[in-house]
Amino acid sequence: MPGNLTFDALKEAVDRGEIDTVLVASVDMQGRLMGKRFHAAFFVNGGWKETHCCNYLLAVDMEMNTVPGYKSAGWEKGYGDYVMKPDLATLRPLPWLPGTALCLADLLDHHTQEEVAVSPRAILKRQVARARAMGFDPMMATELEFYIFENAYEQLRDDGFGNLRPISAYNEDYHIFQTTKEESLMRDVRNHLYKAGIPIENTKGEADSGQHEVNYRYSDALDTADNHVIVKQGVKEIAHLKGKSVTFMAKYDHRKAGSSSHVHQSLWTLDGKPAFYDHDDPHGMSATMKHFLAGQLAHAQEITAFLAPYVNSYKRFCIGLFAPTKAVWSADNRTAGFRICGEHTKAVRVECRIPGSDVNPYLCCAALLAAGLAGIEQKLELEPEMKGDMYNTAGIREIPRTLRDAADRLLASDMLRKAFGDEVVDHYHHAAQWEISETDRVVTDFELQRLLERA
Ligand code: ADP
């Protein structure tokens, strides 16, 4: 069970007065938890069966604007309801919120009771089912990097986001002393999330001032995506409760390192054997792994819009800051978009370094899986390994440099249309177009500073 609280145990905790609130939350297009806070007594006495939400939750932008032009929902359709169907297997306590448990919910069509096609959790479930039908359990891990600021979100907003004070004054990559200074926050992050059923491995300082990383153990792809959104929510909330704030923006300052969400991936047979491992191969990579990786390389540019969903995401892809610029593969090489880890071991895996920490993990894992499975289906041959500094190697496959480029490639992707369906591809292409048009329209601080006086 992905959560760590059975329904019976919840009922007992409610009877004992230990839990009085159950959050029921679905995941939106941006990867946020959206839902309602239930009185626990109502939830256990029948509220667990289903609740409802406005169907605009899968048709708004970050600001909750009602974006025109979606086929799934709009004013012309009256913005009706989706069913929120709690997935009781995801039940867990949230120890940082007194008396509170969380249950994730799937989004169903009100009339057909089918999962909504454009729902991120449904999109990932379908790719996992496809992998299982091919005889594989997809195992994934998403790392999460973020910056911690001394001041609370409210203070940042009051200051017009002009007074961001990272919690440390220097690059704290692997630093024990600096991260000791941050333990009052990060110890709670590890322990609270662990008690919420997240298999925390470790936290560590990262490669700029105030930057951190949290790692949780790999699991099946759906469980990992669930863990990812709960970790993100937990880190934000625990920081908030301590008067601090964090950001998962891919690039909050062009002078600083971006925040990544590298995705580690391996396939296992349904009886639990590592399908990526071949003892006799020079890297320990099986034919299945090579086809999978070949598929991800062949389709890397088409899936990038799901790995880097905002205009800002592309500002992370710059030379010399450990974010990749090239969609090529290399063993244990952090300049490549696809790095092979755990060579010659049963843990041999593909680490895709393209996603930033602003990613929606369901869409990202689903797109990576779709590309990899297409490679296996077509038995694509793996191109030769690249070696050395990919940043300064010309003429090799680039990661799209802008969301505009990535969105065009998404729209034209036959592979994704086949894997996700036209409805899903068109929906998320529309989301990308909206992000682009909103960013094009707005005058930025940069333009003011550069042009106001001198233009
Ligand atoms: P790094 O040096 O990149 O931080 P780690 O050894 O810390 O690498 O592992 C990174 C992530 O990879 C962890 O979250 C771990 O659970 C995950 N991982 C380990 N083995 C596998 C595997 N076989 N498949 C997918 N993910 C895995």
Side-chain angles (χ1 to χ4, degrees), residues 139-143 174 201-202 204 213 215-219 262 264-266 268 334 339 341 346-349 351 353:
M139 303 303 268
M140 294 191 161
T142 56
E143 304 172 7
Y174 298 98
E201 289 186 347
N202 56 54
K204 66 180 277 292
E213 177 179 83
N215 288 298
Y216 30 101
R217 191 177 150 75
Y218 70 95
S219 187
H262 304 150
H264 292 253
Q265 315 157 69
S266 59
W268 294 65
R334 287 188 166 84
R339 167 187 173 225
C341 299
K346 287 182 178 163
V348 65
R349 57 193 184 271
E351 179 197 38
R353 298 177 61 80

Side-chain angles (χ1 to χ4, degrees), residues 94-401:
L94 296 185
W96 60 93
L97 298 179
T100 301
L102 168 72
C103 188
L104 297 180
D106 289 309
L107 292 171
L108 312 187
D109 182 286
H110 206 33
H111 307 285
T112 65
Q113 301 291 311
E114 298 276 321
E115 284 206 52
V116 175
V118 298
S119 154
R121 204 163 187 260
I123 293 169
L124 179 56
K125 278 189 188 176
R126 284 198 297 273
Q127 292 311 304
V128 171
R130 179 177 164 205
R132 289 186 65 85
M134 291 166 71
F136 301 116
D137 249 335
M139 303 303 268
M140 294 191 161
T142 56
E143 304 172 7
L144 262 176
E145 295 174 357
F146 55 93
Y147 279 86
I148 310 171
F149 301 113
E150 287 286 5
N151 10 25
Y153 287 119
E154 289 69 19
Q155 187 66 51
L156 299 186
R157 191 165 282 107
D158 288 350
D159 294 346
F161 298 100
N163 185 25
L164 300 169
R165 287 176 40 222
I167 198 165
S168 70
Y170 49 78
N171 177 330
E172 54 182 295
D173 204 12
Y174 298 98
H175 245 261
I176 296 300
F177 179 53
Q178 178 55 41
T179 51
T180 296
K181 296 190 227 165
E182 297 152 19
E183 269 294 84
S184 70
L185 172 60
M186 294 312 298
R187 181 170 178 241
D188 275 2
V189 163
R190 290 190 305 275
N191 290 337
H192 282 327
L193 286 169
Y194 193 82
K195 285 187 193 143
I198 308 289
I200 295 290
E201 289 186 347
N202 56 54
T203 60
K204 66 180 277 292
E206 266 297 329
D208 217 319
S209 48
Q211 198 180 25
H212 256 269
E213 177 179 83
V214 55
N215 288 298
Y216 30 101
R217 191 177 150 75
Y218 70 95
S219 187
D220 69 81
L222 183 67
D223 194 28
T224 287
D226 288 347
N227 287 341
H228 179 120
V229 291
I230 295 166
V231 167
K232 232 174 126 171
Q233 182 83 9
V235 171
K236 282 186 183 177
E237 290 181 349
I238 295 164
H240 170 76
L241 292 169
K242 289 179 177 288
K244 311 255 183 258
S245 57
V246 298
T247 186
F248 291 88
M249 272 181 83
K251 193 84 171 175
Y252 93 88
D253 186 324
H254 61 279
R255 293 159 297 195
K256 294 187 172 280
S259 289
S260 309
S261 181
H262 304 150
V263 182
H264 292 253
Q265 315 157 69
S266 59
L267 295 180
W268 294 65
T269 60
L270 298 182
D271 58 354
K273 299 204 177 63
F276 273 9
Y277 181 54
D278 179 350
H279 176 77
D280 298 329
D281 180 78
H283 288 304
M285 292 164 60
S286 69
T288 299
M289 179 172 182
K290 289 179 188 175
H291 295 319
F292 185 86
L293 179 54
Q296 295 201 332
L297 293 167
H299 300 295
Q301 294 168 330
E302 297 156 49
I303 63 172
T304 299
F306 287 120
L307 277 44
Y310 305 111
V311 171
N312 175 265
S313 313
Y314 294 77
K315 297 184 179 172
R316 185 179 138 255
F317 302 133
C318 58
I319 291 177
L321 285 175
F322 289 102
T325 56
K326 305 284 170 40
V328 295
W329 80 279
S330 188
D332 200 15
N333 181 337
R334 287 188 166 84
T335 67
F338 294 82
R339 167 187 173 225
I340 303 309
C341 299
E343 282 173 276
H344 307 295
T345 72
K346 287 182 178 163
V348 65
R349 57 193 184 271
V350 179
E351 179 197 38
C352 179
R353 298 177 61 80
I354 300 173
S357 53
D358 55 351
V359 80
N360 179 323
Y362 299 87
L363 301 174
C364 167
C365 291
L368 283 166
L369 256 182
L373 295 178
I376 293 176
E377 277 171 358
Q378 291 158 33
K379 295 201 177 350
L380 288 187
E381 195 178 331
L382 182 61
E383 64 200 36
E385 179 189 4
M386 298 275 173
K387 293 199 170 162
D389 176 2
M390 298 302 114
Y391 288 131
N392 290 306
T393 306
I396 55 177
R397 192 184 302 103
E398 305 260 353
I399 296 168
R401 290 181 187 202

Side-chain angles (χ1 to χ4, degrees), residues 1 5-16 44 88 91:
M1 175 172 125
L5 186 64
T6 63
F7 189 58
D8 285 343
L10 172 69
K11 280 200 262 185
E12 287 161 21
V14 175
D15 286 345
R16 287 196 300 271
V44 296
L88 294 180
L91 258 177

Side-chain angles (χ1 to χ4, degrees), residues 416-447:
L416 282 173
R417 287 187 179 278
K418 197 164 158 241
F420 288 180
D422 289 338
E423 185 182 353
V424 171
V425 170
D426 292 339
H427 190 90
Y428 285 94
H429 176 258
H430 189 65
Q433 290 297 116
W434 178 258
E435 286 300 315
I436 294 164
S437 63
E438 283 296 272
T439 314
D440 281 352
R441 172 178 86 73
V442 169
V443 177
T444 64
D445 285 354
F446 171 74
E447 290 165 289

